[in-house]
Amino acid sequence: MEQEKIIVLDFGGQYKQLIARRVRECNVYCEIHPSNIGLDKLKELNPKGIILTGGPNSVYAADSPTFDPEIFNLGIPVLGICYGSQLMAHLLGGEVKTAPVSEYGHTDVTILKRDSAIFAGIPAMTTAWMSHTDYIAEPPKGFEISADTSNCPVAAMEDASRKLYATQFHPEVVHTKDGFEMLKHFVIDVCECQGLWKMDSFAEATIKELREKIGSDRVLLGLSGGVDSTVTAVLLSKAIGKQLYCVFVDHGMMRKNEGDEVEAVFGPNGKFDLNFIRVNAGEEYFEMLKGVSDPEQKRKLIGNKFVEIFGAEARRLAGTGGFKYMAQGTIYPDVVESGMGKDGAVIKSHHNVGGLPHDLVVELGFEEQPVEPLRSLFKDEVRKAGIELGIPAELVYRQPFPGPGLGIRVVGEVTPEKVHIVQEADAIYREELSKAGIDMGKGQFFAALSNMRSVGVMGDFRTYDYAVVLRGVITSDFMTAEAAEIPWSVLQTCMNRIINEVKGVNRVMYDLTSKPPGTIELE
């Protein structure tokens, strides 16, 4: 039986991954595609339902993303969210215009159509998250207004006979009180999905697929030691054993002692059946980063240097027998945040999306498409797969760590001195959180180094040193996050220890910024 799926069409919305994540929480497989995918390709995917995301544009502007209105005649249920709702109204003959009053943030919503399929069991008054400057002034013919607010006459509308639904607000975000129930009603009740998709058999099925695909060929993997590459390595190890070669490029910007910890797990004395090669390249990276302060430039330089070093090692290893495949620990947020189609925003660059340069792929004889067994999974799903594989919990639930390492947790120019400060401060911070019994598995906790230096007094001496920023966020999906409420006494202990034990620091701050508007990492 073909796997039932919901397709999310991306019109540039910042919450597109959240929509897909919420659908998967209904035990229904969901994937994101660019809005310009085309009607024929969409039909080939044979979705049980389609969700149109929000976006920053106005539907009546000439260059705004759109879609073939025939999408609404396919007999497939469609849910439009924010821009998606306005696009539905616009394409079907309704009126969209600039709202007299823009709405942002928490908004009281009145449910007018209590027998609506998507509002079943929802209170008559609920709270939703709004973010719009345009609104639907007049719904298309055949649509009923199913919800409104004091400033938005069409907060939701539907043509139930055609299974077309739209909400001006965002049901996918946690700020919409009953949003998950609304999405679940659409997916299960309107789209008639059975909700049978689960992660339980992912590892077993993937190992079988990898074994069949790779056969007796050799595979090369760039191993960082993070959760994604660890799970990728173990999947491949269980599928093909010593046919797997893992190259660990230590760029000198890992957390304290982490390079040695990675080697202890995957090296000759580790528990996994694979070939492990460590390349210590810290000096090269620090030399390259001298004078560079722009965060995106740092990401790109670090990524390019990785490709250079990894490529050199790949050439050397290829001389011992050659490789057919390169593997990568790419996960779904990497793919989406790197931009999907012309309307997908690039949030940040990822050096593990896209693989090696094409000429190097050809030179080394790799298949052009890398092996990416986690490409369709979100981070929490990767962790579930790791536990299913029998990977120790301390590895599976280790704190997330960006590919460019501490290079983007040092604001401004990266130097060995600054990296050392962050390593020591970060180790103290995580140690004290652990002592206090704070569950770091519910989010991300780390220390970063600001580019600010300030005057201080230590003993009888004036200092002019750096400010360390402590970051702690609680999140279920890493698409939105709130600052963790760490007890004051714990923060005070962290501050005292960092200033007393880490040379070069005379000030410690705690970052209260949520995502959005900030990102989780400082750069």
Side-chain angles (χ1 to χ4, degrees):
M1 184 176 71
E2 184 180 2
Q3 176 177 263
E4 58 185 16
K5 68 171 77 74
I6 300 292
I7 296 299
V8 174
L9 293 186
D10 175 25
F11 290 90
Q14 61 178 317
Y15 300 133
K16 52 184 170 279
Q17 292 188 57
L18 271 181
I19 299 171
R21 189 67 199 90
R22 297 292 177 251
V23 173
R24 292 190 188 187
E25 287 173 7
C26 300
N27 294 323
V28 175
Y29 182 70
C30 182
E31 57 189 34
I32 304 168
H33 288 273
S35 61
N36 61 349
I37 183 176
L39 200 63
D40 290 340
K41 177 62 177 176
L42 188 61
K43 289 180 188 177
E44 286 177 22
L45 293 170
N46 193 28
K48 295 278 287 184
I50 300 165
I51 300 177
L52 313 179
T53 76
N57 302 93
S58 294
V59 296
Y60 45 78
D63 58 349
S64 291
T66 187
F67 201 86
D68 188 335
E70 189 63 24
I71 189 175
F72 304 115
N73 297 322
L74 297 177
I76 301 170
V78 180
L79 170 63
I81 296 175
C82 197
Y83 179 89
S85 71
Q86 296 166 11
L87 184 63
M88 181 184 291
H90 180 68
L91 292 176
L92 291 174
E95 183 183 11
V96 177
K97 61 184 183 180
T98 302
V101 179
S102 299
E103 289 180 310
Y104 296 99
H106 292 96
T107 305
D108 290 332
V109 176
T110 302
I111 306 301
L112 303 174
K113 186 173 171 53
R114 301 305 306 282
D115 62 345
S116 166
I118 66 170
F119 294 135
I122 304 298
M125 181 72 74
T126 187
T127 302
W129 186 260
M130 287 283 196
S131 180
H132 68 100
T133 53
D134 290 343
Y135 75 153
I136 299 170
E138 186 67 37
K141 184 178 179 180
F143 278 76
E144 293 181 75
I145 299 174
S146 51
D148 67 9
T149 75
S150 58
N151 293 311
C152 185
V154 187
M157 66 177 189
E158 62 184 66
D159 182 343
S161 65
R162 300 171 67 186
K163 296 187 176 182
L164 304 179
Y165 296 82
T167 64
Q168 179 61 69
F169 55 85
H170 290 271
E172 70 274 22
V173 303
V174 295
H175 310 297
T176 296
K177 184 178 178 182
D178 301 297
F180 176 69
E181 289 303 313
M182 298 173 192
L183 280 173
K184 188 173 182 180
H185 284 318
F186 176 73
V187 171
I188 302 299
D189 300 332
V190 177
C191 299
E192 300 181 356
C193 292
Q194 297 182 58
L196 301 177
W197 182 77
K198 295 184 185 297
M199 284 292 301
D200 295 348
S201 60
F202 173 82
E204 180 182 351
T206 302
I207 289 168
K208 182 181 178 182
E209 289 173 7
L210 289 169
R211 192 175 289 138
E212 291 175 354
K213 174 184 176 70
I214 296 166
S216 60
D217 291 303
R218 300 202 310 175
V219 176
L220 187 64
L221 169 68
L223 179 68
S224 71
V227 176
D228 305 333
S229 68
T230 293
V231 174
T232 300
V234 175
L235 280 169
L236 285 162
S237 172
K238 289 181 178 290
I240 61 173
K242 290 288 189 185
Q243 294 165 234
L244 173 64
Y245 288 72
C246 294
V247 175
F248 169 48
V249 177
D250 187 346
H251 48 36
M253 293 175 283
M254 306 288 286
R255 287 170 288 207
K256 186 176 181 179
N257 300 327
E258 197 159 40
D260 293 338
E261 291 169 2
V262 171
E263 184 168 0
V265 171
F266 291 103
N269 299 319
K271 61 178 289 188
F272 300 114
D273 185 29
L274 49 80
N275 300 285
F276 177 81
I277 300 97
R278 179 176 180 175
V279 182
N280 293 310
E283 290 185 10
E284 289 184 56
Y285 276 90
F286 287 124
E287 183 63 31
M288 172 192 68
L289 292 170
K290 281 183 178 179
V292 180
S293 59
D294 178 75
E296 186 66 6
Q297 187 181 2
K298 285 194 290 186
R299 284 181 179 273
K300 289 180 178 177
L301 284 172
I302 292 170
N304 290 340
K305 176 61 73 172
F306 168 81
V307 170
E308 176 189 323
I309 295 172
F310 183 79
E313 196 61 27
R315 288 188 181 94
R316 185 186 70 79
L317 291 170
T320 66
F323 295 93
K324 184 173 183 181
Y325 298 103
M326 184 180 72
Q328 294 178 170
T330 309
I331 65 173
Y332 208 32
D334 296 340
V335 177
V336 177
E337 288 189 350
S338 292
M340 301 182 69
K342 67 183 180 69
D343 301 313
V346 177
I347 308 300
K348 56 187 176 182
S349 299
H350 290 271
H351 69 263
N352 60 332
V353 175
L356 294 174
H358 183 262
D359 57 349
L360 188 57
V361 169
V362 173
E363 175 192 338
L364 296 175
F366 286 119
E367 290 285 315
E368 292 207 17
Q369 182 61 42
V371 174
E372 298 173 312
L374 307 180
R375 188 178 178 90
S376 66
L377 302 188
F378 286 93
K379 179 72 76 174
D380 61 323
E381 295 169 335
V382 174
R383 296 190 197 281
K384 289 178 184 177
I387 294 298
E388 186 184 343
L389 285 163
I391 301 173
E394 61 267 22
L395 293 181
V396 172
Y397 289 101
R398 76 192 308 171
Q399 283 290 290
F401 194 60
L406 299 180
I408 58 167
R409 290 184 181 172
V410 171
V411 178
E413 183 183 8
V414 182
T415 67
E417 174 202 9
K418 290 180 178 179
V419 168
H420 177 72
I421 289 173
V422 178
Q423 287 173 331
E424 296 298 325
D426 182 72
I428 290 170
Y429 181 43
R430 288 184 288 121
E431 180 185 336
E432 290 300 329
L433 293 180
S434 181
K435 283 182 184 178
I438 292 172
D439 183 2
M440 289 181 278
K442 292 184 177 179
Q444 191 164 341
F445 298 79
F446 60 89
L449 187 66
S450 75
N451 203 23
M452 181 186 84
R453 299 183 77 177
S454 61
V455 174
V457 177
M458 298 182 73
D460 295 324
F461 297 96
R462 176 185 183 275
T463 62
Y464 186 64
D465 286 328
Y466 288 106
V468 162
V469 179
L470 303 181
R471 184 80 162 126
V473 297
I474 301 299
T475 178
S476 61
D477 45 47
F478 291 86
M479 294 297 101
T480 61
E482 299 290 339
E485 295 185 25
I486 298 173
W488 180 256
S489 60
V490 177
L491 290 174
Q492 195 81 1
T493 300
C494 291
M495 179 273 295
N496 282 327
R497 283 196 60 192
I498 290 170
I499 288 178
N500 287 324
E501 298 176 32
V502 184
K503 185 179 179 181
V505 178
N506 67 359
R507 200 174 292 269
V508 175
M509 300 182 288
Y510 186 64
D511 186 353
L512 293 173
T513 314
S514 62
K515 176 184 179 181
T519 56
I520 292 177
E521 298 287 346
L522 270 65
E523 290 203 332

PDB file of all heavy atoms in Angstrom, residues 8-22:
ATOM      1  N   VAL A   8       3.253  20.009   1.826  1.00  0.00           N
ATOM      2  CA  VAL A   8       3.270  21.424   2.183  1.00  0.00           C
ATOM      3  C   VAL A   8       3.931  22.187   1.043  1.00  0.00           C
ATOM      4  O   VAL A   8       5.063  21.881   0.661  1.00  0.00           O
ATOM      5  CB  VAL A   8       4.058  21.658   3.491  1.00  0.00           C
ATOM      6  CG1 VAL A   8       4.200  23.153   3.774  1.00  0.00           C
ATOM      7  CG2 VAL A   8       3.376  20.963   4.663  1.00  0.00           C
ATOM      8  N   LEU A   9       3.232  23.157   0.473  1.00  0.00           N
ATOM      9  CA  LEU A   9       3.796  23.996  -0.585  1.00  0.00           C
ATOM     10  C   LEU A   9       4.305  25.288   0.043  1.00  0.00           C
ATOM     11  O   LEU A   9       3.546  26.024   0.695  1.00  0.00           O
ATOM     12  CB  LEU A   9       2.752  24.300  -1.660  1.00  0.00           C
ATOM     13  CG  LEU A   9       2.282  23.112  -2.511  1.00  0.00           C
ATOM     14  CD1 LEU A   9       1.368  23.601  -3.625  1.00  0.00           C
ATOM     15  CD2 LEU A   9       3.463  22.346  -3.094  1.00  0.00           C
ATOM     16  N   ASP A  10       5.584  25.571  -0.163  1.00  0.00           N
ATOM     17  CA  ASP A  10       6.261  26.683   0.499  1.00  0.00           C
ATOM     18  C   ASP A  10       6.181  27.961  -0.333  1.00  0.00           C
ATOM     19  O   ASP A  10       6.717  28.033  -1.429  1.00  0.00           O
ATOM     20  CB  ASP A  10       7.725  26.306   0.757  1.00  0.00           C
ATOM     21  CG  ASP A  10       8.524  27.457   1.336  1.00  0.00           C
ATOM     22  OD1 ASP A  10       7.899  28.330   1.968  1.00  0.00           O
ATOM     23  OD2 ASP A  10       9.754  27.480   1.150  1.00  0.00           O
ATOM     24  N   PHE A  11       5.547  28.976   0.222  1.00  0.00           N
ATOM     25  CA  PHE A  11       5.465  30.285  -0.411  1.00  0.00           C
ATOM     26  C   PHE A  11       6.366  31.295   0.305  1.00  0.00           C
ATOM     27  O   PHE A  11       6.126  32.496   0.261  1.00  0.00           O
ATOM     28  CB  PHE A  11       4.017  30.767  -0.433  1.00  0.00           C
ATOM     29  CG  PHE A  11       3.150  29.991  -1.382  1.00  0.00           C
ATOM     30  CD1 PHE A  11       2.469  28.854  -0.949  1.00  0.00           C
ATOM     31  CD2 PHE A  11       3.047  30.351  -2.716  1.00  0.00           C
ATOM     32  CE1 PHE A  11       1.686  28.122  -1.823  1.00  0.00           C
ATOM     33  CE2 PHE A  11       2.264  29.622  -3.597  1.00  0.00           C
ATOM     34  CZ  PHE A  11       1.589  28.496  -3.154  1.00  0.00           C
ATOM     35  N   GLY A  12       7.408  30.782   0.957  1.00  0.00           N
ATOM     36  CA  GLY A  12       8.348  31.650   1.646  1.00  0.00           C
ATOM     37  C   GLY A  12       8.053  31.813   3.125  1.00  0.00           C
ATOM     38  O   GLY A  12       8.605  32.702   3.775  1.00  0.00           O
ATOM     39  N   GLY A  13       7.213  30.962   3.682  1.00  0.00           N
ATOM     40  CA  GLY A  13       6.813  31.085   5.079  1.00  0.00           C
ATOM     41  C   GLY A  13       7.901  30.635   6.046  1.00  0.00           C
ATOM     42  O   GLY A  13       8.557  29.625   5.831  1.00  0.00           O
ATOM     43  N   GLN A  14       8.060  31.378   7.137  1.00  0.00           N
ATOM     44  CA  GLN A  14       9.094  31.050   8.110  1.00  0.00           C
ATOM     45  C   GLN A  14       8.724  29.825   8.946  1.00  0.00           C
ATOM     46  O   GLN A  14       9.580  29.246   9.604  1.00  0.00           O
ATOM     47  CB  GLN A  14       9.342  32.246   9.029  1.00  0.00           C
ATOM     48  CG  GLN A  14       8.129  32.693   9.834  1.00  0.00           C
ATOM     49  CD  GLN A  14       8.420  33.856  10.762  1.00  0.00           C
ATOM     50  OE1 GLN A  14       9.449  33.871  11.409  1.00  0.00           O
ATOM     51  NE2 GLN A  14       7.520  34.831  10.825  1.00  0.00           N
ATOM     52  N   TYR A  15       7.449  29.444   8.949  1.00  0.00           N
ATOM     53  CA  TYR A  15       7.019  28.329   9.797  1.00  0.00           C
ATOM     54  C   TYR A  15       6.753  27.043   9.014  1.00  0.00           C
ATOM     55  O   TYR A  15       6.105  26.136   9.514  1.00  0.00           O
ATOM     56  CB  TYR A  15       5.735  28.714  10.553  1.00  0.00           C
ATOM     57  CG  TYR A  15       5.874  29.903  11.460  1.00  0.00           C
ATOM     58  CD1 TYR A  15       4.926  30.926  11.438  1.00  0.00           C
ATOM     59  CD2 TYR A  15       6.945  30.016  12.346  1.00  0.00           C
ATOM     60  CE1 TYR A  15       5.037  32.027  12.278  1.00  0.00           C
ATOM     61  CE2 TYR A  15       7.067  31.117  13.177  1.00  0.00           C
ATOM     62  CZ  TYR A  15       6.109  32.118  13.142  1.00  0.00           C
ATOM     63  OH  TYR A  15       6.222  33.203  13.972  1.00  0.00           O
ATOM     64  N   LYS A  16       7.263  26.938   7.810  1.00  0.00           N
ATOM     65  CA  LYS A  16       6.949  25.776   6.971  1.00  0.00           C
ATOM     66  C   LYS A  16       7.352  24.459   7.619  1.00  0.00           C
ATOM     67  O   LYS A  16       6.637  23.454   7.524  1.00  0.00           O
ATOM     68  CB  LYS A  16       7.607  25.913   5.602  1.00  0.00           C
ATOM     69  CG  LYS A  16       9.102  26.212   5.623  1.00  0.00           C
ATOM     70  CD  LYS A  16       9.634  26.422   4.207  1.00  0.00           C
ATOM     71  CE  LYS A  16      11.054  26.962   4.199  1.00  0.00           C
ATOM     72  NZ  LYS A  16      11.077  28.420   4.419  1.00  0.00           N
ATOM     73  N   GLN A  17       8.514  24.457   8.279  1.00  0.00           N
ATOM     74  CA  GLN A  17       8.938  23.210   8.922  1.00  0.00           C
ATOM     75  C   GLN A  17       8.023  22.839  10.073  1.00  0.00           C
ATOM     76  O   GLN A  17       7.776  21.658  10.328  1.00  0.00           O
ATOM     77  CB  GLN A  17      10.371  23.350   9.433  1.00  0.00           C
ATOM     78  CG  GLN A  17      11.400  23.453   8.329  1.00  0.00           C
ATOM     79  CD  GLN A  17      12.790  23.404   8.901  1.00  0.00           C
ATOM     80  OE1 GLN A  17      13.161  22.474   9.587  1.00  0.00           O
ATOM     81  NE2 GLN A  17      13.586  24.421   8.620  1.00  0.00           N
ATOM     82  N   LEU A  18       7.518  23.851  10.765  1.00  0.00           N
ATOM     83  CA  LEU A  18       6.599  23.568  11.858  1.00  0.00           C
ATOM     84  C   LEU A  18       5.339  22.891  11.356  1.00  0.00           C
ATOM     85  O   LEU A  18       4.808  21.987  12.008  1.00  0.00           O
ATOM     86  CB  LEU A  18       6.222  24.872  12.565  1.00  0.00           C
ATOM     87  CG  LEU A  18       7.115  25.328  13.712  1.00  0.00           C
ATOM     88  CD1 LEU A  18       6.568  26.620  14.305  1.00  0.00           C
ATOM     89  CD2 LEU A  18       7.201  24.262  14.782  1.00  0.00           C
ATOM     90  N   ILE A  19       4.851  23.339  10.207  1.00  0.00           N
ATOM     91  CA  ILE A  19       3.651  22.715   9.644  1.00  0.00           C
ATOM     92  C   ILE A  19       3.911  21.230   9.399  1.00  0.00           C
ATOM     93  O   ILE A  19       3.131  20.367   9.820  1.00  0.00           O
ATOM     94  CB  ILE A  19       3.226  23.413   8.335  1.00  0.00           C
ATOM     95  CG1 ILE A  19       2.897  24.888   8.586  1.00  0.00           C
ATOM     96  CG2 ILE A  19       2.031  22.691   7.721  1.00  0.00           C
ATOM     97  CD1 ILE A  19       2.673  25.690   7.320  1.00  0.00           C
ATOM     98  N   ALA A  20       5.026  20.928   8.730  1.00  0.00           N
ATOM     99  CA  ALA A  20       5.366  19.534   8.441  1.00  0.00           C
ATOM    100  C   ALA A  20       5.549  18.741   9.730  1.00  0.00           C
ATOM    101  O   ALA A  20       5.122  17.584   9.842  1.00  0.00           O
ATOM    102  CB  ALA A  20       6.627  19.460   7.593  1.00  0.00           C
ATOM    103  N   ARG A  21       6.183  19.365  10.710  1.00  0.00           N
ATOM    104  CA  ARG A  21       6.432  18.690  11.984  1.00  0.00           C
ATOM    105  C   ARG A  21       5.126  18.364  12.684  1.00  0.00           C
ATOM    106  O   ARG A  21       4.952  17.283  13.234  1.00  0.00           O
ATOM    107  CB  ARG A  21       7.312  19.597  12.876  1.00  0.00           C
ATOM    108  CG  ARG A  21       7.797  18.911  14.129  1.00  0.00           C
ATOM    109  CD  ARG A  21       8.770  17.788  13.789  1.00  0.00           C
ATOM    110  NE  ARG A  21       8.904  16.862  14.894  1.00  0.00           N
ATOM    111  CZ  ARG A  21       8.163  15.792  15.074  1.00  0.00           C
ATOM    112  NH1 ARG A  21       7.201  15.501  14.233  1.00  0.00           N
ATOM    113  NH2 ARG A  21       8.380  14.987  16.081  1.00  0.00           N
ATOM    114  N   ARG A  22       4.183  19.302  12.681  1.00  0.00           N
ATOM    115  CA  ARG A  22       2.894  19.064  13.334  1.00  0.00           C
ATOM    116  C   ARG A  22       2.110  17.945  12.636  1.00  0.00           C
ATOM    117  O   ARG A  22       1.451  17.139  13.285  1.00  0.00           O
ATOM    118  CB  ARG A  22       2.061  20.346  13.346  1.00  0.00           C
ATOM    119  CG  ARG A  22       2.677  21.489  14.131  1.00  0.00           C
ATOM    120  CD  ARG A  22       2.729  21.227  15.620  1.00  0.00           C
ATOM    121  NE  ARG A  22       3.385  22.335  16.293  1.00  0.00           N
ATOM    122  CZ  ARG A  22       4.591  22.288  16.837  1.00  0.00           C
ATOM    123  NH1 ARG A  22       5.294  21.175  16.793  1.00  0.00           N
ATOM    124  NH2 ARG A  22       5.107  23.340  17.436  1.00  0.00           N
TER     125      ARG A  22
END
